[in-house]
Amino acid sequence: MDQLRIAKFTSNDLPFGKMMTDLEGWHRTVTDWNRLLRIEPLGMIKAQLDGRDVGIAGFLSYKDVSWIHSVIVLPEFRGKGIGRAMVEKCIANARENGCPCIKLDSVRGFEGFYRSLGFAEEFESHRYLADGAPFPKVAEEVRPSDMGSIMAFDRAAVGVDRGRVLRAIFEDKTDLAFCTREAAVITGYILGREGEERVQIGPCVAKGGDYSIGHQLITTLIGSVGPERRFRMCVPGANRTAVRLVRDLGFASGIASTRMYLGERFQESAAVLSMISPEKG
Ligand SMILES: CC(C)(COP(=O)(O)OP(=O)(O)OC[C@H]1O[C@@H](n2cnc3c(N)ncnc32)[C@H](O)[C@@H]1OP(=O)(O)O)[C@@H](O)C(=O)NCCC(=O)NCCS
């Protein structure tokens, strides 16, 4: 085989990264790309064949669980072991950091690729789509001073520290953040951001996975945006309450992917009604 090199992906590589995610129709905006590098500056890698950029892959670590994402090889260079080499590098990076579990959302049809790297299937990861609706605002707006409590709530509910990611999403879109409280204590929160074509909803986390809290959060976010916009939300299929809730709210099922894991299985919390995104868990 020609000379394959796995190299660091820097901010200079963003146009290449964006071209690759556009090629796959993954709706990743320039803001999303910048945020990804800001959150995990050493998380992206690229593959070069004889000096030419031919592939990308990334990982995001929360210590007890890491996520592999953005694994793409240019179509004309597929089937040469490049995807495998990049994922093996991401696995090695996660293991060097002592991470016991690595997860990912596999695009349908590529489960075999990840199985050959040792991953096992866990459950279906749904993309749900909805049109806007004039729902009333029943949850509170999140203020910057609430973020400390929200990050602590998320850590307790989810079991890992996702604080830096939540803060980055909130800072990019402060007016799409809502929470619920009981006796002044946070019982749930939701964040949204501008995606390509649709507003991306997530994360949405509710104490005990409570249906009614989730309902308040999702309807408030949709109602605050305006009926002319459309929405996308990534829902773990293993969470039956979350699936029932979005269906009750009129969301339609979009393309599903498959959640897979490697290592000790990290049990995802029932409190998570919507994941942040396929690349951030
Ligand atoms: C998935 C992808 C990155 C694989 O890259 P690649 O360089 O073609 O993969 P490799 O050549 O390293 O293949 C590694 C192994 O997986 C197998 N494999 C590759 N694609 C497969 C598929 N769709 N189903 C089953 N096995 C597959 C190969 O046969 C190979 O097995 P071997 O090592 O026993 O020979 C590439 O097909 C791609 O860019 N797809 C589009 C983007 C995408 O959907 N990525 C997945 C995101 S979750």
Side-chain angles (χ1 to χ4, degrees):
M1 185 163 152
D2 303 324
Q3 190 61 40
L4 177 67
R5 180 170 167 257
I6 304 294
K8 204 178 141 199
F9 181 109
T10 69
S11 51
N12 295 335
D13 298 309
L14 281 171
F16 176 60
K18 173 89 171 97
M19 184 274 285
M20 294 293 263
T21 45
D22 286 351
L23 191 70
E24 295 303 318
W26 284 0
H27 309 288
R28 190 169 308 158
T29 63
V30 172
T31 308
D32 290 334
W33 262 109
N34 282 323
R35 190 190 309 112
L36 204 51
L37 275 196
R38 211 163 74 231
I39 292 167
E40 197 82 280
L42 302 176
M44 288 298 304
I45 55 171
K46 64 177 181 177
Q48 293 183 308
L49 201 58
D50 292 335
R52 177 179 171 186
D53 294 341
V54 294
I56 58 168
F59 72 95
L60 182 56
S61 179
Y62 299 115
K63 288 206 177 91
D64 286 341
V65 60
S66 295
W67 289 81
I68 287 183
H69 61 86
S70 313
V71 184
I72 309 174
V73 174
L74 279 176
E76 60 271 37
F77 294 98
R78 290 179 190 168
K80 294 172 181 284
I82 297 170
R84 171 181 286 276
M86 291 194 300
V87 175
E88 281 174 344
K89 174 69 179 156
C90 291
I91 294 171
N93 285 348
R95 289 207 166 128
E96 263 169 34
N97 295 330
C99 181
C101 180
I102 304 170
K103 290 207 171 199
L104 54 83
D105 259 16
S106 168
V107 169
R108 279 284 164 80
F110 289 105
E111 291 89 348
F113 167 68
Y114 290 113
R115 239 182 274 123
S116 79
L117 285 150
F119 286 82
E121 270 124 310
E122 198 174 2
F123 52 79
E124 239 184 27
S125 180
H126 299 288
R127 311 280 173 271
Y128 276 102
L129 308 174
D131 291 334
F135 289 121
K137 229 174 183 177
V138 284
E140 281 175 50
E141 282 169 19
V142 170
R143 291 159 302 167
S145 57
D146 295 322
M147 278 315 285
S149 318
I150 286 179
M151 284 152 58
F153 168 79
D154 186 81
R155 192 162 58 243
V158 177
V160 288
D161 185 356
R162 311 193 296 176
R164 72 191 195 284
V165 178
L166 305 186
R167 195 179 281 288
I169 294 170
F170 175 68
E171 283 170 0
D172 280 346
K173 195 71 187 148
T174 51
D175 57 340
L176 277 188
F178 302 94
C179 63
T180 51
R181 287 178 219 260
E182 206 178 284
V185 177
I186 300 285
T187 55
Y189 78 93
I190 192 165
L191 303 179
R193 57 199 182 276
E194 290 293 338
E196 260 176 13
E197 299 164 20
R198 291 175 184 269
V199 173
Q200 179 77 41
I201 301 176
C204 177
V205 182
K207 186 180 170 187
D210 186 83
Y211 181 100
S212 147
I213 293 174
H215 192 284
Q216 290 174 46
L217 293 167
I218 297 168
T219 55
T220 298
L221 189 145
I222 291 177
S224 76
V225 171
E228 71 287 351
R229 297 300 308 276
R230 295 183 301 158
F231 300 84
R232 176 184 294 106
M233 186 165 158
C234 300
V235 176
N239 189 333
R240 303 316 300 167
T241 304
V243 171
R244 185 161 57 87
L245 173 57
V246 290
R247 287 200 179 140
D248 289 351
L249 286 171
F251 278 74
S253 192
I255 303 163
S257 53
T258 305
R259 181 85 92 253
M260 301 183 79
Y261 73 100
L262 177 71
E264 283 169 38
R265 183 171 172 196
F266 176 84
Q267 181 71 41
E268 290 182 38
S269 165
V272 176
L273 303 179
S274 168
M275 69 192 302
I276 304 172
S277 68
E279 66 274 11
K280 301 189 202 71

